[in-house]
Amino acid sequence: MGQLAWAVPGTAGATLLQSLADDIDPANKVRTFTVIAAAGAVTSAIGTVAGGLLSDRTRSRIGRRSPWLLGSSMLATLALVGCGLTSSVFTIGVLFALFQLGIGTWTAALSALIPDHVAAPEVGRASSFAGLGFLAGQTLGGVLAGLFVTHPGRGLTLVPWVMMVGAILIAICVPAEDNRAMPRPVRSARGIRAWIPSASRDYWLAFTGRFLFILAVVMITQFELYLFTDYLGLSKEEAGAAVAVAITVVGLLAAVTTVAGGVLSDVLGRKKIFVGGAPLLLAAGMVPVVAAPSQATVFLFCAAIGLTLGTYLAVDQALMVAVLPDADTAARDLGVLGIGSTLPGVVAPVVGGTLISTVGYTALFLVSLVLAVAAAAVITLIRSVR
C-alpha cells in the first residue's frame, strides 16, 4: 500500500506537469519541465536523506516511522494540489519541489519498514511485494494521467489525495510500539559525518549501480509524453492514451517478474544475477526503438522496461538491505541509497533535455543504453552478496 500510495501521484504528476507546461508555454515546454523536474529531484534527495536520519532518531507514541509518513504525505498532497491551481511557472516549481521533498521523506521512512518488521530470510519476498505495490500505483497513475492529460490542472488537484489515505492506512495496519523509552542515538561532534554511512565498497557499488540503472530508465520516461507528441507526431489526446497503454504494459509485465523475481531470489539465495541482469535486458529493449522508431517499437521497449523493472524492484531492495553497514541506522543508510533513485531525477532532465534539444531522441536512447550496460557491470563487482 505504501509504495502504491506515492507511485500514483508520482507517475501521474510527472505526465500532467508536462501537459501543463505545454499549455502554459508550448515553445519552451521542454526547458520549463526540465527546470521544474530538476528542482524537484534535488529536494527529493534532501528529503530522502533527512527523512531517513530523522526517522531513525524519532521517539513517539506511534513509533519512529509513522510521524514522518503522515507528515510527508500531507506536505506532498497539498503541494501537488497547489500545482493544479496556478499557471505561474515559478509557483509551480516551488510547489513541485515541496511535493518531491515530501516524496523523498516518505520513501525513506517507508523503506525502513522492511528491516524494521521483516526477518532477513523473507526480505526478498517483502521487497517483491513492495515492488508490486509500486507497479500497481505506477499503472494506476499512468491511466489517470491519460484521463486528465487534456485537463492537467484538474488531475493534479484530485490524484495526490491517495497518498494521505495510504499514510493513514499504514499507521492503522502496521502499528508501531511506543518507543519513547528507547535510548536516542548518541550525538557526536562529527556534524555532517553523522549523515554519511560508514565507508563500504559494496554499499557504494550498490548505490552506483542503482543510480546508473534508474538514470537509464528515467532519461527516457521523464519525457514520455513528449516522446509520443514530438518524436512520433501524435496529438496530445492520442499521446495521453498512448502513455496510459505504455504504463499499463510496464505494470502488467512487471507484476509477473516482480513476484517471480523475489521468490526465485530467496529460493536460490542469489541477488546479483537478478539486479545485474535487469539492466542488460533493458539495453536490449532499446535497440528496436533506435533501429526503427515507431509506436510499436516504443511499446516493445515499454515491455522491456516492465520485464526489467519488475525483476529489479523485486530484488534490488533486498540487495540494498544486505549491504547496509549498520542495522541501527537502517533508515539513514537506506535513505542515502535512495538518492541513487532520486539523483537521476536531477541529472535526467538536464542531460535528457539537452540531448533532445541538440541531437534528438535517438541520441537519448543510445546514451541510456550505455548507462544500462554500465549499471550491470558495476553490480557484478559487489563481493559480499551472491
Side-chain angles (χ1 to χ4, degrees), residues 47-97:
T48 301
V49 178
L53 177 65
L54 294 173
S55 76
D56 281 336
R57 293 173 174 270
T58 295
R59 302 292 179 264
S60 77
R61 187 173 59 82
I62 56 174
R64 52 181 176 172
R65 313 301 180 196
S66 291
W68 294 96
L69 291 172
L70 292 166
S72 62
S73 68
M74 182 178 297
L75 173 64
T77 297
L78 296 179
L80 197 59
V81 167
C83 288
L85 300 176
T86 180
S87 59
S88 165
V89 172
F90 176 78
T91 303
I92 291 171
V94 172
L95 289 171
F96 187 69

Side-chain angles (χ1 to χ4, degrees), residues 264-344:
L264 283 174
S265 174
D266 284 341
V267 171
L268 298 175
R270 292 181 177 272
K271 300 176 179 67
K272 283 170 58 177
I273 189 173
F274 296 96
V275 179
L280 293 178
L281 183 56
L282 178 71
M286 296 181 195
V287 175
V289 184
V290 175
S294 68
Q295 229 177 308
T297 54
V298 170
F299 286 145
L300 182 62
F301 170 64
C302 290
I305 292 179
L307 294 172
T308 60
L309 195 60
T311 303
Y312 192 86
L313 289 173
V315 189
D316 177 62
Q317 184 70 18
L319 177 69
M320 298 299 141
V321 172
V323 299
L324 290 179
D326 186 347
D328 291 336
T329 57
R332 181 202 67 183
D333 298 339
L334 285 170
V336 173
L337 286 171
I339 296 178
S341 299
T342 56
L343 188 58

Side-chain angles (χ1 to χ4, degrees), residues 136-351:
Q138 185 183 56
T139 302
L140 179 57
V143 172
L144 291 172
L147 290 175
F148 289 109
V149 71
T150 55
H151 299 90
R154 188 182 305 169
L156 289 168
T157 60
L158 295 176
V159 168
W161 294 99
V162 68
M163 195 168 172
M164 284 190 65
V165 173
I168 294 170
L169 289 176
I170 290 172
I172 294 172
C173 298
V174 190
E177 296 181 358
D178 186 333
N179 70 336
R180 286 176 292 182
M182 181 183 294
R184 295 180 183 274
V186 178
R187 295 178 182 271
S188 70
R190 292 183 300 163
I192 193 66
R193 290 178 59 193
W195 295 62
I196 303 174
S198 305
S200 167
R201 175 182 179 276
D202 287 352
Y203 178 90
W204 292 111
L205 284 173
F207 175 94
T208 304
R210 172 182 274 190
F211 170 79
L212 292 172
F213 176 74
I214 299 298
L215 180 59
V217 175
V218 176
M219 283 268 287
I220 298 170
T221 58
Q222 186 87 69
F223 299 95
E224 193 165 32
L225 182 65
Y226 300 156
L227 175 66
F228 284 108
T229 57
D230 298 351
Y231 189 47
L232 300 183
L234 302 183
S235 68
K236 185 186 286 189
E237 189 172 2
E238 292 171 333
V243 167
V245 171
I247 294 179
T248 300
V249 168
V250 171
L252 290 176
L253 291 177
V256 176
T257 52
T258 295
V259 175
V263 173
L264 283 174
S265 174
D266 284 341
V267 171
L268 298 175
R270 292 181 177 272
K271 300 176 179 67
K272 283 170 58 177
I273 189 173
F274 296 96
V275 179
L280 293 178
L281 183 56
L282 178 71
M286 296 181 195
V287 175
V289 184
V290 175
S294 68
Q295 229 177 308
T297 54
V298 170
F299 286 145
L300 182 62
F301 170 64
C302 290
I305 292 179
L307 294 172
T308 60
L309 195 60
T311 303
Y312 192 86
L313 289 173
V315 189
D316 177 62
Q317 184 70 18
L319 177 69
M320 298 299 141
V321 172
V323 299
L324 290 179
D326 186 347
D328 291 336
T329 57
R332 181 202 67 183
D333 298 339
L334 285 170
V336 173
L337 286 171
I339 296 178
S341 299
T342 56
L343 188 58
V346 180
V347 179
V350 177
V351 176

Side-chain angles (χ1 to χ4, degrees), residues 18-29:
Q18 289 178 45
S19 179
L20 191 61
D22 184 41
D23 288 345
I24 295 172
D25 187 1
N28 297 299
K29 62 184 180 182

